[in-house]
Amino acid sequence: MSRVGKEPILIPSGVEVKLEPRSVHVKGAKGEVQVHVNRLARVQQENGTLRVSVEDPEDRRSRAMWGLVRSLVANAVLGVTEGFEKRLVVVGVGYRAELKGKALEIQVGYSHPVLVEALPGIEFSTEDAPSGIEGAQVSIVVRGADKELVGRTAANIRKIRPPEPYKGKGIRYDGEYVRRKAGKAAVT
């Protein structure tokens, strides 16, 4: 039996849930999220809660889908009420990021600035970098209601210029450890 899948999902006030045969639509103050439900799982709404179940709890694949679908629906409910965010830090001399309308313009050592358009449901903001990181210029915040979309957008931004191991320059997640290497040893 799935321990995660058995837990009911409480629906907070102000959140609308619409159940369809193979999907769940969740709408709240922060946005709207649609979750596709695997054919092995079922979602039922009862008394202000959502319950996920499967036909055969002894089947290994059904148990895996049970917990997965429950987690995805719970993340959708949490996303439309509180939202999700990922923070990235831009490190390097002359490296910077700024908002141009809803898009993000990033200058990280290329001959041209890189423009990242905000997908529907995603919003960007910039802040001063946290003081603990040497050479950090600016911090990028990616916000949205869909946890998977926020994470994927942050990963695509990081991919523009991943941190390099010698000086640590590049775009990294806030709190990410970058393993540093020693450079060439000078021969005297």
Side-chain angles (χ1 to χ4, degrees):
M1 300 286 270
S2 172
R3 286 180 284 189
V4 172
K6 284 188 215 175
E7 291 291 317
I9 303 164
L10 296 174
I11 303 171
S13 62
V15 175
E16 286 181 38
V17 177
K18 183 178 166 192
L19 300 175
E20 292 184 0
R22 290 285 142 234
S23 66
V24 177
H25 294 276
V26 184
K27 188 176 184 179
K30 299 276 183 174
E32 187 173 340
V33 178
Q34 178 181 359
V35 178
H36 295 288
V37 178
N38 189 285
R39 62 180 175 76
L40 298 173
R42 289 187 307 272
V43 181
Q44 292 117 7
Q45 185 174 1
E46 52 192 41
N47 301 337
T49 62
L50 292 173
R51 288 205 174 267
V52 180
S53 61
V54 292
E55 278 203 29
D56 184 13
E58 300 302 317
D59 179 39
R60 185 180 180 115
R61 183 150 166 78
S62 293
R63 278 196 316 268
M65 289 301 125
W66 193 1
L68 173 70
V69 169
R70 192 257 176 219
S71 293
L72 292 175
V73 173
N75 283 340
V77 171
L78 183 64
V80 299
T81 54
E82 298 175 19
F84 293 102
E85 76 174 28
K86 284 271 191 185
R87 293 179 176 271
L88 299 131
V89 180
V90 180
V91 179
V93 176
Y95 287 13
R96 60 182 177 265
E98 56 187 25
L99 290 174
K100 296 282 184 180
K102 290 190 175 195
L104 188 66
E105 184 180 84
I106 303 173
Q107 295 178 3
V108 284
Y110 294 120
S111 62
H112 59 283
V114 179
L115 194 68
V116 179
E117 296 289 337
L119 296 170
I122 295 291
E123 70 177 50
F124 298 125
S125 65
T126 57
E127 302 171 353
D128 289 336
S131 60
I133 302 170
E134 182 182 334
Q137 303 296 322
V138 69
S139 184
I140 301 168
V141 183
V142 182
R143 288 189 181 93
D146 189 349
K147 187 175 187 178
E148 187 267 336
L149 190 59
V150 168
R152 185 165 22 111
T153 303
N156 287 338
I157 291 172
R158 183 184 181 276
K159 204 182 327 180
I160 293 169
R161 177 72 82 180
E164 53 94 16
Y166 297 103
K167 292 184 179 179
K169 296 181 348 179
I171 302 172
R172 63 175 86 165
Y173 294 113
D174 189 18
E176 178 182 0
Y177 172 73
V178 177
R179 191 170 145 242
R180 303 291 290 270
K181 292 182 178 179
K184 278 188 177 178
V187 178
T188 57

